[in-house]
Amino acid sequence: MLSKTMEDALNRQINRELYSSYLYLGMSAWFETQTLKGFAGWMLVQSGEERNHAMKIYDYVVARQGKVQLEAIEAPKAKWSSAGKIFEEVYAHEQKVTGMIDALVELAVREKDHATFEMLQWFVKEQVEEEANAATICEKIKTVGDVPGHLFMLDHELGKRK
Ligand code: FEO
C-alpha cells in the first residue's frame, strides 16, 4: 500500500502531466493559427503522450489500492511569439518536469517504497528523451531561422510524427 505522502505526491504528478498535455494542446492550437500544420501535429501527438504519462501514474495508484484525487488543471497561455520561443518553453518545461520526477524518486527512496521507485524509472528514462527531443528541435529552428517562411522543411519533417 502507498503511504499518504507518496499517494499525494503521485496525485500531484498526475495533475502536472495533465497540465503538460493541456499546455501542448494549446501550443498545437497556436501552430494551427500559423498554418504550421506539421508543428501542430507534432504538438498534438506530444499532448497525447502527456495524457498517457498521467494515465501510467493513475493506473499505478489504482493498482496499489491508492486513492486517485483529480484536481483542477491550470489553464495554459494561448499566445506565443514564434515557433522558436515555443520550443524554448517546451525545453524549459521538460527540464522542470525532470526535476519533479527526480523529487518523486527521492521521496520513494526516503519512504523505502521500492515499487514506486521501480515504476518511476520509466519516467527517468523518458525525461532524457523528452529533453533531447525539445533541445534538438530548438537547435534546428535556430539553424534555419525562427520565421515561418524558413520553417517549411522542418514543418514537413515534424508532421511525420505519429
Ligand atoms: Fe510527461 Fe513531457 O513529460
Side-chain angles (χ1 to χ4, degrees):
M1 198 173 164
L2 290 168
S3 71
K4 179 80 174 96
T5 315
M6 199 72 245
E7 184 183 278
D8 287 348
L10 291 172
N11 274 315
R12 263 197 308 281
Q13 194 59 30
I14 290 173
N15 185 274
R16 286 159 171 168
E17 298 292 345
L18 289 173
Y19 171 75
S20 297
S21 177
Y22 217 28
L23 174 67
Y24 296 150
L25 187 62
M27 288 174 171
S28 178
W30 184 82
F31 278 122
E32 291 284 358
T33 69
Q34 306 300 299
T35 52
L36 287 166
K37 293 271 175 194
F39 279 89
W42 191 97
M43 279 296 176
L44 196 61
V45 174
Q46 188 63 27
S47 174
E49 278 202 3
E50 296 299 348
R51 187 179 183 278
N52 291 342
H53 294 172
M55 288 310 296
K56 232 178 175 37
I57 303 172
Y58 174 107
D59 288 341
Y60 175 76
V61 172
V62 170
R64 295 290 308 277
Q65 282 88 48
K67 184 172 177 290
V68 169
Q69 182 74 46
L70 298 176
E71 303 288 348
I73 305 166
E74 186 190 332
K77 67 181 191 192
K79 256 187 171 170
W80 288 270
S81 55
S82 71
K85 290 280 178 233
I86 280 202
F87 271 93
E88 277 170 25
E89 197 175 314
V90 171
Y91 186 35
H93 181 71
E94 288 301 337
Q95 290 175 79
K96 218 166 93 186
V97 174
T98 300
M100 293 170 189
I101 298 295
D102 287 347
L104 283 170
V105 171
E106 283 156 26
L107 180 62
V109 170
R110 283 203 302 281
E111 296 276 313
K112 299 186 173 59
D113 186 341
H114 297 273
T116 302
F117 178 89
E118 176 61 26
M119 182 276 291
L120 290 169
Q121 296 313 301
W122 184 89
F123 286 89
V124 171
K125 287 190 211 99
E126 177 71 3
Q127 282 312 117
V128 174
E129 201 183 299
E130 295 276 77
E131 283 192 33
N133 287 344
T136 302
I137 297 171
C138 278
E139 283 310 310
K140 284 185 178 177
I141 294 172
K142 263 187 218 145
T143 306
V144 297
D146 190 12
V147 285
H150 291 185
L151 295 172
F152 178 74
M153 291 293 285
L154 189 53
D155 189 57
H156 183 70
E157 184 190 324
L158 295 185
K160 290 183 188 153
R161 186 181 187 192
K162 297 274 175 267

Coordinates of all heavy atoms in Angstrom, one line a residue, residues 14-87:
I14 N 0.1 13.4 -11.4 CA -0.9 13.2 -12.4 C -1.4 14.5 -12.9 O -1.6 14.8 -14.1 CB -2.1 12.4 -11.8 CG1 -1.7 10.9 -11.5 CG2 -3.3 12.4 -12.7 CD1 -2.7 10.1 -10.7
N15 N -1.7 15.5 -12.0 CA -2.1 16.8 -12.4 C -1.1 17.5 -13.3 O -1.5 18.2 -14.3 CB -2.4 17.6 -11.1 CG -3.0 19.0 -11.5 OD1 -2.3 19.9 -11.7 ND2 -4.3 19.1 -11.5
R16 N 0.2 17.4 -12.9 CA 1.2 18.1 -13.7 C 1.3 17.5 -15.1 O 1.6 18.2 -16.1 CB 2.5 18.0 -13.0 CG 2.6 18.9 -11.8 CD 3.6 18.4 -10.9 NE 3.9 19.4 -9.8 CZ 4.6 19.1 -8.7 NH1 5.1 17.9 -8.5 NH2 4.8 20.0 -7.8
E17 N 1.2 16.2 -15.2 CA 1.2 15.5 -16.6 C 0.0 16.0 -17.4 O 0.1 16.2 -18.6 CB 1.3 14.0 -16.4 CG 2.5 13.5 -15.7 CD 3.8 13.6 -16.4 OE1 3.8 13.9 -17.7 OE2 4.9 13.5 -15.8
L18 N -1.1 16.1 -16.7 CA -2.3 16.6 -17.5 C -2.2 18.0 -17.9 O -2.6 18.4 -18.9 CB -3.6 16.4 -16.6 CG -4.0 14.9 -16.5 CD1 -5.1 14.8 -15.5 CD2 -4.4 14.2 -17.8
Y19 N -1.5 18.8 -17.0 CA -1.2 20.2 -17.4 C -0.3 20.2 -18.6 O -0.5 21.0 -19.5 CB -0.6 21.0 -16.2 CG -0.1 22.3 -16.7 CD1 -1.0 23.4 -17.0 CD2 1.3 22.5 -16.9 CE1 -0.5 24.6 -17.4 CE2 1.7 23.8 -17.4 CZ 0.8 24.8 -17.7 OH 1.3 26.0 -18.2
S20 N 0.7 19.4 -18.6 CA 1.6 19.3 -19.8 C 0.8 19.0 -21.0 O 1.0 19.6 -22.1 CB 2.7 18.2 -19.6 OG 3.5 18.5 -18.5
S21 N -0.1 18.0 -20.9 CA -1.0 17.7 -22.1 C -1.8 18.9 -22.5 O -1.8 19.1 -23.8 CB -1.9 16.5 -21.6 OG -2.8 16.2 -22.7
Y22 N -2.3 19.6 -21.6 CA -3.1 20.8 -21.9 C -2.2 21.9 -22.5 O -2.6 22.6 -23.5 CB -3.7 21.3 -20.6 CG -5.1 21.8 -20.6 CD1 -6.0 21.4 -21.5 CD2 -5.5 22.8 -19.6 CE1 -7.3 21.9 -21.5 CE2 -6.7 23.3 -19.6 CZ -7.7 22.9 -20.6 OH -8.9 23.4 -20.5
L23 N -1.0 22.1 -22.0 CA -0.1 23.1 -22.5 C 0.3 22.8 -24.0 O 0.2 23.7 -24.8 CB 1.2 23.1 -21.6 CG 2.4 24.0 -22.1 CD1 2.0 25.4 -22.0 CD2 3.6 23.7 -21.3
Y24 N 0.6 21.5 -24.2 CA 1.0 21.2 -25.6 C -0.2 21.2 -26.6 O -0.1 21.5 -27.7 CB 1.7 19.8 -25.6 CG 3.0 19.8 -24.8 CD1 3.5 18.7 -24.2 CD2 3.7 21.0 -24.8 CE1 4.7 18.7 -23.5 CE2 4.9 21.0 -24.0 CZ 5.4 19.9 -23.4 OH 6.6 20.0 -22.7
L25 N -1.4 20.9 -26.0 CA -2.6 21.1 -26.9 C -2.8 22.6 -27.2 O -3.1 22.9 -28.4 CB -3.8 20.6 -26.1 CG -5.1 20.5 -26.9 CD1 -5.0 19.5 -28.1 CD2 -6.3 20.1 -26.0
G26 N -2.5 23.4 -26.3 CA -2.6 24.9 -26.5 C -1.6 25.3 -27.6 O -1.9 26.1 -28.4
M27 N -0.4 24.7 -27.5 CA 0.6 25.1 -28.4 C 0.3 24.6 -29.8 O 0.5 25.2 -30.8 CB 2.0 24.5 -28.0 CG 2.6 25.2 -26.8 SD 4.0 24.3 -26.2 CE 4.6 25.6 -24.9
S28 N -0.4 23.4 -29.9 CA -0.8 22.8 -31.1 C -1.8 23.8 -31.8 O -1.8 24.1 -33.0 CB -1.4 21.4 -30.9 OG -1.9 20.9 -32.1
A29 N -2.8 24.3 -31.0 CA -3.8 25.2 -31.5 C -3.1 26.5 -32.0 O -3.6 27.0 -33.0 CB -4.8 25.5 -30.3
W30 N -2.1 26.9 -31.3 CA -1.4 28.2 -31.8 C -0.8 27.9 -33.1 O -0.8 28.7 -34.1 CB -0.4 28.6 -30.8 CG 0.3 29.9 -31.2 CD1 -0.2 31.2 -31.0 CD2 1.5 30.1 -31.9 NE1 0.6 32.1 -31.6 CE2 1.7 31.5 -32.1 CE3 2.5 29.2 -32.4 CZ2 2.8 32.0 -32.8 CZ3 3.6 29.7 -33.0 CH2 3.7 31.1 -33.2
F31 N -0.1 26.7 -33.3 CA 0.5 26.4 -34.6 C -0.5 26.3 -35.7 O -0.2 26.7 -36.8 CB 1.3 25.1 -34.5 CG 2.7 25.3 -33.9 CD1 3.1 24.6 -32.7 CD2 3.6 26.1 -34.5 CE1 4.4 24.8 -32.2 CE2 4.9 26.3 -33.9 CZ 5.3 25.6 -32.8
E32 N -1.7 25.8 -35.3 CA -2.8 25.8 -36.4 C -3.0 27.2 -36.9 O -3.3 27.4 -38.1 CB -4.1 25.2 -35.8 CG -4.0 23.7 -35.4 CD -4.1 22.8 -36.6 OE1 -4.2 23.3 -37.8 OE2 -4.0 21.6 -36.4
T33 N -3.0 28.2 -36.0 CA -3.3 29.6 -36.4 C -2.2 30.1 -37.3 O -2.3 31.1 -38.0 CB -3.5 30.6 -35.2 OG1 -2.3 30.7 -34.5 CG2 -4.6 30.0 -34.3
Q34 N -1.0 29.5 -37.2 CA 0.2 30.0 -38.0 C 0.3 29.2 -39.3 O 1.3 29.3 -40.0 CB 1.5 29.8 -37.2 CG 1.4 30.5 -35.8 CD 1.2 32.0 -35.9 OE1 2.0 32.7 -36.5 NE2 0.1 32.4 -35.3
T35 N -0.7 28.3 -39.6 CA -0.7 27.4 -40.7 C 0.6 26.6 -40.7 O 1.2 26.2 -41.8 CB -1.0 28.0 -42.0 OG1 -0.1 29.1 -42.3 CG2 -2.4 28.4 -42.1
L36 N 1.2 26.2 -39.5 CA 2.3 25.3 -39.5 C 1.7 24.0 -39.0 O 1.8 23.6 -37.8 CB 3.4 25.9 -38.5 CG 4.2 27.0 -39.0 CD1 4.9 27.7 -37.9 CD2 5.1 26.6 -40.1
K37 N 1.1 23.3 -40.0 CA 0.4 22.0 -39.7 C 1.2 20.9 -39.1 O 0.8 20.1 -38.3 CB -0.3 21.6 -40.9 CG -1.4 22.5 -41.4 CD -2.7 22.1 -40.8 CE -3.8 23.1 -41.1 NZ -5.0 22.9 -40.3
G38 N 2.5 20.9 -39.6 CA 3.4 19.8 -39.1 C 3.7 20.0 -37.6 O 3.7 19.1 -36.8
F39 N 4.0 21.3 -37.3 CA 4.3 21.6 -35.9 C 3.1 21.3 -35.0 O 3.2 20.8 -33.9 CB 4.6 23.1 -35.7 CG 6.1 23.4 -36.1 CD1 6.4 23.8 -37.4 CD2 7.0 23.4 -35.1 CE1 7.8 24.1 -37.7 CE2 8.4 23.8 -35.4 CZ 8.7 24.1 -36.7
A40 N 1.9 21.7 -35.6 CA 0.6 21.5 -34.8 C 0.4 20.0 -34.6 O 0.0 19.5 -33.5 CB -0.5 22.0 -35.6
G41 N 0.7 19.1 -35.6 CA 0.5 17.7 -35.5 C 1.5 17.1 -34.5 O 1.1 16.3 -33.6
W42 N 2.7 17.6 -34.5 CA 3.8 17.1 -33.5 C 3.3 17.4 -32.1 O 3.4 16.5 -31.2 CB 5.1 17.8 -33.8 CG 6.3 17.3 -33.1 CD1 7.2 16.4 -33.6 CD2 6.7 17.6 -31.7 NE1 8.1 16.1 -32.6 CE2 7.9 16.8 -31.5 CE3 6.2 18.4 -30.7 CZ2 8.6 16.9 -30.3 CZ3 6.9 18.4 -29.5 CH2 8.1 17.7 -29.3
M43 N 2.8 18.6 -31.9 CA 2.3 19.0 -30.5 C 1.1 18.2 -30.1 O 1.0 17.9 -28.9 CB 2.0 20.5 -30.5 CG 3.2 21.4 -30.4 SD 4.0 21.2 -28.8 CE 5.4 22.3 -29.1
L44 N 0.3 17.9 -31.1 CA -0.9 17.1 -30.7 C -0.5 15.7 -30.3 O -1.0 15.2 -29.3 CB -1.8 17.0 -32.0 CG -3.3 16.5 -31.7 CD1 -4.0 17.5 -30.8 CD2 -4.0 16.4 -33.1
V45 N 0.5 15.1 -31.0 CA 1.0 13.8 -30.5 C 1.6 13.9 -29.2 O 1.4 13.1 -28.3 CB 2.0 13.2 -31.6 CG1 2.6 11.9 -31.1 CG2 1.3 13.0 -32.9
Q46 N 2.4 15.0 -28.9 CA 3.0 15.2 -27.6 C 2.0 15.3 -26.5 O 2.1 14.8 -25.4 CB 3.9 16.4 -27.7 CG 4.8 16.7 -26.5 CD 5.8 15.5 -26.3 OE1 6.2 14.9 -27.2 NE2 6.1 15.3 -25.0
S47 N 0.9 16.1 -26.8 CA -0.2 16.2 -25.9 C -0.8 14.9 -25.5 O -1.0 14.6 -24.3 CB -1.3 17.1 -26.5 OG -2.4 17.2 -25.6
G48 N -0.9 14.0 -26.5 CA -1.5 12.7 -26.2 C -0.5 11.9 -25.3 O -0.9 11.1 -24.4
E49 N 0.8 12.0 -25.6 CA 1.8 11.3 -24.8 C 1.7 11.7 -23.3 O 1.9 10.9 -22.4 CB 3.2 11.5 -25.3 CG 3.5 10.7 -26.5 CD 5.0 10.5 -26.8 OE1 5.8 11.0 -26.0 OE2 5.4 9.8 -27.7
E50 N 1.5 13.0 -23.1 CA 1.5 13.5 -21.7 C 0.3 12.9 -21.0 O 0.3 12.6 -19.8 CB 1.5 15.0 -21.7 CG 2.7 15.7 -22.3 CD 4.0 15.4 -21.5 OE1 3.9 14.8 -20.4 OE2 5.1 15.7 -22.1
R51 N -0.8 12.8 -21.7 CA -2.0 12.2 -21.1 C -1.7 10.7 -20.7 O -2.1 10.2 -19.7 CB -3.2 12.2 -22.0 CG -4.5 11.8 -21.4 CD -5.7 11.8 -22.2 NE -6.9 11.4 -21.4 CZ -7.2 10.2 -21.2 NH1 -6.5 9.2 -21.7 NH2 -8.3 9.9 -20.5
N52 N -0.9 10.1 -21.6 CA -0.5 8.7 -21.3 C 0.4 8.6 -20.1 O 0.3 7.7 -19.3 CB 0.2 8.0 -22.5 CG -0.7 7.8 -23.7 OD1 -1.9 7.8 -23.5 ND2 -0.1 7.6 -24.9
H53 N 1.2 9.6 -19.9 CA 2.1 9.7 -18.7 C 1.2 9.8 -17.5 O 1.4 9.1 -16.5 CB 3.0 10.9 -18.7 CG 4.0 10.9 -19.8 ND1 4.9 11.9 -20.1 CD2 4.4 9.9 -20.7 CE1 5.7 11.6 -21.1 NE2 5.4 10.4 -21.5
A54 N 0.2 10.7 -17.6 CA -0.7 10.8 -16.4 C -1.4 9.5 -16.1 O -1.5 9.1 -15.0 CB -1.8 11.9 -16.7
M55 N -1.8 8.8 -17.2 CA -2.6 7.6 -17.0 C -1.7 6.4 -16.5 O -2.2 5.5 -15.8 CB -3.2 7.1 -18.3 CG -4.4 8.0 -18.7 SD -5.6 8.2 -17.4 CE -6.2 6.5 -17.2
K56 N -0.4 6.5 -16.8 CA 0.5 5.5 -16.3 C 0.6 5.6 -14.7 O 0.5 4.6 -14.0 CB 1.9 5.8 -16.8 CG 2.6 4.6 -17.5 CD 3.9 5.1 -18.0 CE 4.8 4.0 -18.6 NZ 4.2 2.9 -19.3
I57 N 0.6 6.8 -14.2 CA 0.6 7.0 -12.8 C -0.7 6.7 -12.2 O -0.8 6.1 -11.1 CB 1.1 8.5 -12.4 CG1 2.5 8.7 -13.1 CG2 1.2 8.7 -10.9 CD1 3.0 10.2 -13.0
Y58 N -1.8 7.2 -12.9 CA -3.2 6.9 -12.4 C -3.3 5.4 -12.2 O -3.8 4.9 -11.2 CB -4.1 7.4 -13.5 CG -5.6 7.1 -13.3 CD1 -6.5 8.1 -12.9 CD2 -6.1 5.9 -13.6 CE1 -7.8 7.9 -12.8 CE2 -7.4 5.6 -13.5 CZ -8.3 6.6 -13.1 OH -9.6 6.4 -13.0
D59 N -3.0 4.6 -13.3 CA -3.1 3.1 -13.2 C -2.3 2.6 -12.1 O -2.7 1.6 -11.4 CB -2.7 2.5 -14.5 CG -3.6 2.8 -15.7 OD1 -4.8 3.1 -15.4 OD2 -3.3 2.6 -16.8
Y60 N -1.1 3.1 -11.9 CA -0.3 2.6 -10.8 C -0.9 2.9 -9.4 O -0.9 2.0 -8.5 CB 1.1 3.3 -10.9 CG 2.0 2.9 -9.7 CD1 2.6 1.7 -9.7 CD2 2.2 3.8 -8.7 CE1 3.4 1.3 -8.6 CE2 3.0 3.5 -7.6 CZ 3.6 2.2 -7.6 OH 4.4 1.8 -6.5
V61 N -1.4 4.1 -9.2 CA -2.1 4.4 -7.9 C -3.2 3.5 -7.7 O -3.4 2.9 -6.6 CB -2.5 5.9 -7.9 CG1 -3.4 6.2 -6.6 CG2 -1.3 6.9 -7.9
V62 N -4.0 3.2 -8.7 CA -5.2 2.3 -8.6 C -4.6 0.9 -8.2 O -5.2 0.2 -7.3 CB -6.0 2.3 -9.9 CG1 -7.0 1.1 -9.9 CG2 -6.7 3.6 -10.1
A63 N -3.6 0.4 -8.9 CA -3.1 -0.9 -8.7 C -2.5 -1.1 -7.3 O -2.6 -2.2 -6.7 CB -1.9 -1.2 -9.7
R64 N -2.1 0.0 -6.7 CA -1.6 0.0 -5.3 C -2.7 0.2 -4.3 O -2.4 0.5 -3.1 CB -0.4 1.0 -5.1 CG 0.8 0.8 -5.9 CD 1.7 -0.4 -5.5 NE 2.0 -0.5 -4.1 CZ 3.0 0.2 -3.5 NH1 3.8 0.9 -4.2 NH2 3.3 0.0 -2.2
Q65 N -3.9 0.1 -4.7 CA -5.1 0.4 -3.8 C -5.0 1.8 -3.2 O -5.5 2.0 -2.1 CB -5.2 -0.6 -2.7 CG -5.7 -2.0 -3.1 CD -4.7 -2.9 -3.6 OE1 -3.6 -3.0 -2.9 NE2 -4.9 -3.5 -4.7
G66 N -4.5 2.7 -4.0 CA -4.5 4.1 -3.6 C -5.7 4.8 -4.0 O -6.6 4.3 -4.7
K67 N -5.8 6.1 -3.6 CA -7.0 6.9 -4.0 C -6.5 8.0 -5.0 O -5.7 8.8 -4.7 CB -7.6 7.6 -2.8 CG -8.9 8.3 -3.0 CD -9.5 8.8 -1.7 CE -10.7 9.6 -1.9 NZ -10.5 10.9 -2.5
V68 N -7.1 7.9 -6.2 CA -6.8 9.0 -7.2 C -7.6 10.2 -6.9 O -8.8 10.1 -6.7 CB -7.1 8.5 -8.6 CG1 -7.0 9.6 -9.6 CG2 -6.2 7.3 -9.1
Q69 N -6.9 11.3 -6.8 CA -7.5 12.6 -6.4 C -7.3 13.6 -7.6 O -6.1 14.0 -7.8 CB -6.9 13.1 -5.1 CG -7.5 14.4 -4.6 CD -8.9 14.2 -4.0 OE1 -9.1 13.3 -3.2 NE2 -9.9 15.0 -4.4
L70 N -8.3 13.8 -8.4 CA -8.1 14.7 -9.5 C -8.4 16.1 -9.1 O -9.4 16.4 -8.5 CB -9.0 14.3 -10.7 CG -8.7 12.9 -11.3 CD1 -9.7 12.6 -12.4 CD2 -7.3 12.8 -11.8
E71 N -7.4 17.0 -9.5 CA -7.6 18.4 -9.1 C -7.8 19.3 -10.4 O -7.6 18.7 -11.5 CB -6.4 19.0 -8.4 CG -6.0 18.2 -7.1 CD -7.0 18.5 -6.0 OE1 -7.8 19.4 -6.1 OE2 -7.0 17.7 -5.0
A72 N -8.2 20.5 -10.3 CA -8.3 21.4 -11.5 C -7.0 21.5 -12.2 O -5.9 21.6 -11.6 CB -8.8 22.8 -11.0
I73 N -7.1 21.6 -13.5 CA -5.9 21.8 -14.4 C -5.8 23.2 -14.7 O -6.7 23.9 -15.2 CB -6.0 20.9 -15.6 CG1 -6.3 19.5 -15.3 CG2 -4.7 21.1 -16.5 CD1 -6.7 18.6 -16.5
E74 N -4.6 23.8 -14.4 CA -4.3 25.2 -14.7 C -4.4 25.5 -16.2 O -4.0 24.6 -17.0 CB -2.9 25.4 -14.2 CG -2.4 26.9 -14.3 CD -0.9 26.9 -14.1 OE1 -0.3 26.1 -13.4 OE2 -0.3 27.9 -14.6
A75 N -5.0 26.6 -16.5 CA -5.1 27.0 -18.0 C -3.7 27.4 -18.5 O -3.0 28.2 -17.8 CB -6.1 28.1 -18.1
P76 N -3.3 26.9 -19.6 CA -2.0 27.3 -20.2 C -2.2 28.7 -20.9 O -3.4 29.0 -21.2 CB -1.6 26.2 -21.2 CG -2.9 25.6 -21.6 CD -3.9 25.8 -20.5
K77 N -1.1 29.4 -21.2 CA -1.3 30.6 -22.0 C -1.7 30.2 -23.5 O -1.6 29.0 -23.8 CB -0.1 31.5 -22.0 CG 1.2 30.9 -22.6 CD 2.3 32.0 -22.4 CE 3.5 31.6 -23.2 NZ 4.7 32.4 -22.9
A78 N -2.2 31.2 -24.2 CA -2.7 30.8 -25.5 C -1.9 31.5 -26.7 O -2.2 31.2 -27.9 CB -4.2 31.2 -25.6
K79 N -1.0 32.3 -26.4 CA -0.3 33.1 -27.4 C 1.2 33.0 -27.2 O 1.7 33.1 -26.1 CB -0.6 34.5 -27.3 CG -1.6 35.0 -28.3 CD -1.8 36.5 -28.1 CE -2.6 37.2 -29.2 NZ -2.8 38.6 -28.9
W80 N 1.9 32.8 -28.3 CA 3.4 32.8 -28.3 C 3.9 33.6 -29.5 O 3.1 33.9 -30.4 CB 3.9 31.3 -28.5 CG 3.7 30.5 -27.2 CD1 4.5 30.4 -26.2 CD2 2.5 29.8 -26.9 NE1 3.9 29.6 -25.2 CE2 2.7 29.2 -25.6 CE3 1.3 29.5 -27.6 CZ2 1.8 28.4 -25.0 CZ3 0.4 28.7 -26.9 CH2 0.6 28.1 -25.7
S81 N 5.1 34.1 -29.4 CA 5.6 35.0 -30.5 C 6.2 34.3 -31.7 O 6.3 34.8 -32.7 CB 6.5 36.0 -29.9 OG 7.6 35.4 -29.2
S82 N 6.7 33.0 -31.5 CA 7.3 32.3 -32.6 C 7.5 30.8 -32.3 O 7.4 30.4 -31.1 CB 8.7 32.9 -32.9 OG 9.6 32.5 -31.9
A83 N 7.7 30.0 -33.3 CA 8.0 28.6 -33.1 C 9.2 28.4 -32.2 O 9.2 27.5 -31.3 CB 8.2 27.9 -34.5
G84 N 10.2 29.2 -32.4 CA 11.4 29.0 -31.6 C 11.2 29.3 -30.1 O 11.6 28.6 -29.3
K85 N 10.3 30.3 -29.9 CA 10.0 30.6 -28.5 C 9.2 29.5 -27.8 O 9.4 29.2 -26.7 CB 9.2 31.9 -28.4 CG 10.0 33.2 -28.8 CD 10.8 33.6 -27.6 CE 11.7 34.8 -27.9 NZ 13.1 34.7 -27.6
I86 N 8.3 28.9 -28.6 CA 7.5 27.8 -28.1 C 8.5 26.6 -27.7 O 8.4 26.1 -26.6 CB 6.5 27.3 -29.1 CG1 5.3 28.2 -29.1 CG2 6.1 25.8 -28.8 CD1 4.0 27.6 -29.6
F87 N 9.4 26.3 -28.6 CA 10.3 25.1 -28.3 C 11.2 25.4 -27.2 O 11.6 24.5 -26.4 CB 10.9 24.6 -29.6 CG 10.0 23.5 -30.2 CD1 9.1 23.9 -31.2 CD2 10.0 22.2 -29.7 CE1 8.2 23.0 -31.7 CE2 9.1 21.3 -30.2 CZ 8.2 21.7 -31.2

